Amino acid sequence: SQQGEEDPQALSIQEGENATMNCSYKTSINNLQWYRQNSGRGLVHLILIRSNEREKHSGRLRVTLDTSKKSSSLLITASRAADTASYFCATADNYGQNFVFGPGTRLSVLP
Amino acid sequence: EPEVTQTPSHQVTQMGQEVILRCVPISNHLYFYWYRQILGQKVEFLVSFYNNEISEKSEIFDDQFSVERPDGSNFTLKIRSTKLEDSAMYFCASTQGTGGVVGGYTFGSGTRLTVV
């Protein structure tokens, strides 16, 4: 089955720096989404990028998608301590039915 | 902003007991899902539900699990006889269309199930 796999597993940066997280997957997708999860809390949808899109922006977030490499990246610019969370990529297959999360990247932004 | 509501936020149960986790999806959403996350591990798909029936389920979703939409607003996950390894955070989600085509899924804040 397809699976999003994020790397790195953990990332620690200073406030103000940029954070880049990567996601790889195995099979064709309809779209790829990034979610954030604060410790012990629910998942918050950040951004959705469709398979025919290459880049999307939302505030300080920039997502890229390279379907030839089956990979995506999430860039958070000018990070803040409040960005500390786990970030997950999730892929939906071509039928839009199955929706699979990767194991996540734990981001720590140090003040 | 509309949200998915899950209750309870934390449930402790004895091994072998039945538990029912409750969710109220967003009212105009048509597709409903349960996911779980064992502490420190990735989020895993359990089941999707559409038009009052299961549309897909994972290997995790065995005969001990069942889902129901008893009254048109609640969406429940029942675990018949809990095991220690069922301890996890359970998330409910809903969406208007499949695969988040119309937008992302909306997740509830989860129910932390602890089986002792």
Side-chain angles (χ1 to χ4, degrees), chain A residues 3 5 30-31 33 35 37 40-45 48 50 88 92 95-104 106, chain B residues 31 33 35 37 40-45 48 55-56 89 91 98-105 107-110 112:
Chain A
Q3 187 169 38
E5 293 282 346
N30 175 285
N31 65 75
Q33 304 180 36
Y35 286 80
Q37 184 186 34
R41 307 292 298 276
L43 292 152
V44 175
H45 179 251
L48 179 153
R50 303 186 200 288
F88 295 86
Y95 300 99
Q97 276 284 57
N98 206 357
F99 192 59
V100 179
F101 283 87
R106 289 188 308 281
Chain B
Y31 298 83
Y33 306 81
Y35 290 80
Q37 185 183 30
Q41 298 186 27
K42 62 184 178 183
V43 178
E44 300 173 292
F45 169 75
S48 58
S55 47
E56 187 153 1
M89 191 78 141
F91 292 104
T98 58
V101 172
V102 188
Y105 289 50
F107 282 83
S109 52
R112 182 171 296 286

Side-chain angles (χ1 to χ4, degrees), chain B residues 38-54:
Chain B
I38 294 171
L39 187 64
Q41 298 186 27
K42 62 184 178 183
V43 178
E44 300 173 292
F45 169 75
L46 293 178
V47 66
S48 58
F49 192 86
Y50 170 71
N51 201 24
N52 283 321
E53 59 183 30
I54 292 173

Side-chain angles (χ1 to χ4, degrees), chain A residues 61-83:
Chain A
L61 306 180
R62 173 177 164 248
V63 168
T64 62
L65 179 65
D66 186 335
T67 52
S68 66
K69 295 180 180 176
K70 293 188 168 54
S71 68
S72 172
S73 68
L74 170 67
L75 168 68
I76 304 174
T77 60
S79 63
R80 304 168 184 164
D83 294 328

Side-chain angles (χ1 to χ4, degrees), chain B residues 43-103:
Chain B
V43 178
E44 300 173 292
F45 169 75
L46 293 178
V47 66
S48 58
F49 192 86
Y50 170 71
N51 201 24
N52 283 321
E53 59 183 30
I54 292 173
S55 47
E56 187 153 1
K57 60 184 180 180
S58 71
E59 292 172 355
I60 302 167
F61 194 89
D62 61 21
D63 292 343
Q64 294 284 60
F65 291 89
S66 62
V67 288
E68 204 175 38
R69 191 157 159 79
D71 56 14
S73 73
N74 289 288
F75 179 51
T76 62
L77 173 70
K78 183 194 291 186
I79 307 174
R80 230 177 304 280
S81 176
T82 50
K83 304 187 280 281
L84 294 176
E85 53 264 38
D86 293 327
S87 294
M89 191 78 141
Y90 287 81
F91 292 104
C92 172
S94 69
T95 185
Q96 283 184 313
T98 58
V101 172
V102 188

Side-chain angles (χ1 to χ4, degrees), chain A residues 23 28 36 39 49-51 72 101:
Chain A
C23 169
S28 297
R36 185 182 76 202
S39 181
I49 186 165
R50 303 186 200 288
S51 58
S72 172
F101 283 87

